[in-house]
Amino acid sequence: MSTHTLPEATFARTVLGSGPGLALAHGAGSSVAGTYGPILDGLAAHHTVVGVDYPGSGNTPRSATPLSLDVLADQLVAAAVAEGLDTFAVSGYSLGGPVAIRAAARHPERVTALVLTATFPHRDNRLALATPIWRKLAESGNRELLAEFLTMMALGADALEAMPDEQLQQAIGFTAAGVADGTPEHAELAPRVDVRNDLPGSQAPTLVISTTQDWFTSTRLHHQLADTIPHAQLVEIPTGHLPMVERPDEWRQLITDFLDRHSA
């Protein structure tokens, strides 16, 4: 049982659907809508979906202090409980993966299953190099330059090379328009994250979705999660860091099929 008291749920949240509970932890520099938007309706068709926007995302005010992984995890759980969910699965994407893992570690009686996509248990050298660049570009205010960097890093080689010039420029513009104001704080938190001690004791059935063309979070990190979490299942999807852009239907199907087998 958890020994951690839940705080008041103060982050802005998205609530959709009905059925077994599913909490959503979004990626850095994004929001619930930005990460899960293309598959939200599909997830909500059979689940009560609750997602929170981190500080500086969606309608949650930006934080004046460094973000805490424990606070993000507790706020996600508190929002789900506030919406009447006693137990629920958690889907975590990118930075949301450690949020989901920490939520399960701090509140194991609440979390019935984990789905971890394009994520990491701790920073490797690639993340250690990429996140300060990401943060500095976000702090510069040059959204176009930031969007060019993110487009280069986040799209898989297949999707990137399939784009004609005009479509590539449209993708950059779309990315620039969607940058969360709190991106500098999100990018500052990412390399501080380390949930390796949480993994061996995890009791929730877990699916690790490895994005095989990912330049942000490597397949080595995905496999480390699957190898360390007891009885975790690993599946691969041939995308870069953005399965919601490159293969949304396949991504949603992997999530819902797993959750159908592990419904509370």
Side-chain angles (χ1 to χ4, degrees), residues 19-56:
L22 174 59
L24 304 180
H26 68 76
S30 186
S31 62
V32 173
T35 292
Y36 288 99
I39 67 170
L40 266 177
D41 287 344
L43 295 177
H46 301 287
H47 296 86
T48 300
V49 173
V50 179
V52 297
D53 290 322
Y54 309 151

Side-chain angles (χ1 to χ4, degrees), residues 1-75:
M1 295 294 291
S2 172
T3 59
H4 299 284
T5 302
L6 284 177
E8 178 186 358
T10 58
F11 288 5
R13 60 185 181 260
T14 297
V15 184
L16 292 170
S18 60
L22 174 59
L24 304 180
H26 68 76
S30 186
S31 62
V32 173
T35 292
Y36 288 99
I39 67 170
L40 266 177
D41 287 344
L43 295 177
H46 301 287
H47 296 86
T48 300
V49 173
V50 179
V52 297
D53 290 322
Y54 309 151
S57 294
N59 291 321
T60 304
R62 191 170 177 178
S63 176
T65 58
L67 300 182
S68 158
L69 186 67
D70 287 354
V71 170
L72 299 188
D74 284 356
Q75 280 290 328

